[in-house]
Amino acid sequence: MAVSFAKENYSKVFDFSDAAAEAVAGLDEINDGMQSTQELRDQIYASAQRSGSPYLGTMESVARFGSEGGSAFTDNGETIAFAENLNKAFQIAGMSQDQITASSQALAKALGDGTLSGEELQGIFGETPGLLQMMADSLGISTEQLSQMAAAGALTSEMVKNAMLGATSEIDTQFAAMPVTWTDAFTRLKNGALQAFLPLLTSIGNILS
């Protein structure tokens, strides 16, 4: 029984190490050259702590938007800010981490396509009417007009990015008003541990690969 338990835990460590190595490799690929990969990781770590989001998941999200988002983002700073706003807005809406991950993946793909269709807009932001309102406000239009643009194929990736970044102040205000839970505190604690052990975990993951 003890041997089985040890094998199971070793397997989890190896799986996590592999995921960490893949995430770091993804950041290497999208690094715009304005900073080292370590500095990029530090910026993402700070973003994860501000939003109370899992550090590894935030790295994966930033790498995904950077690689799949096409030309929507001009630099890594925009990509990180976009991912942070999205994390905060989805948490304000009460979405789970699994839902946040799935929506982020769908959004990255849509951004890469160049436009968001009406179906994609509803599928990604359907559970966050407050975010849709903030995005519409930042573009100076109504949510109905935003939906109409998406349905007509006129809602571009650039507009979605600008709408999200333009809503930063309102998103931050609403997020700051949310109560801090034990889950949030534990997530930030785990993030700190991962930041400290990331070089070791990445080395293990690279060896396994």
Side-chain angles (χ1 to χ4, degrees), residues 30-35 65-67 69-82 111 157-158 161-162 165:
I30 62 121
N31 194 330
D32 57 16
M34 300 299 291
Q35 64 279 300
F65 283 126
S67 63
S71 58
F73 303 101
T74 58
D75 55 45
N76 292 149
E78 275 194 348
T79 311
I80 294 171
F82 184 91
L111 292 176
S157 300
E158 181 76 11
K161 180 200 72 176
N162 290 338
L165 296 182

Side-chain angles (χ1 to χ4, degrees), residues 8 13 16 72 76 107 112 132 138 152 164 166 173 193 199-200 203-205 207:
E8 181 179 345
V13 171
F16 193 74
N76 292 149
L107 181 56
L132 279 177
S138 73
M164 183 69 69
T173 297
L200 174 60
S203 295
I204 294 174
I207 291 172

Side-chain angles (χ1 to χ4, degrees), residues 23-35 37 40 44 58-69 73-77 79-80:
V24 171
L27 295 182
D28 280 331
E29 292 180 4
I30 62 121
N31 194 330
D32 57 16
M34 300 299 291
Q35 64 279 300
T37 300
L40 181 57
I44 294 171
T58 304
M59 281 196 289
E60 292 170 340
S61 182
V62 170
R64 186 180 303 114
F65 283 126
S67 63
E68 299 180 18
F73 303 101
T74 58
D75 55 45
N76 292 149
T79 311
I80 294 171

Side-chain angles (χ1 to χ4, degrees), residues 134-141 146 149 155 158-160 162-163:
M134 287 185 279
M135 290 172 64
D137 288 344
S138 73
L139 292 174
I141 59 178
L146 188 67
M149 290 178 65
L155 185 59
E158 181 76 11
M159 294 178 67
V160 173
N162 290 338

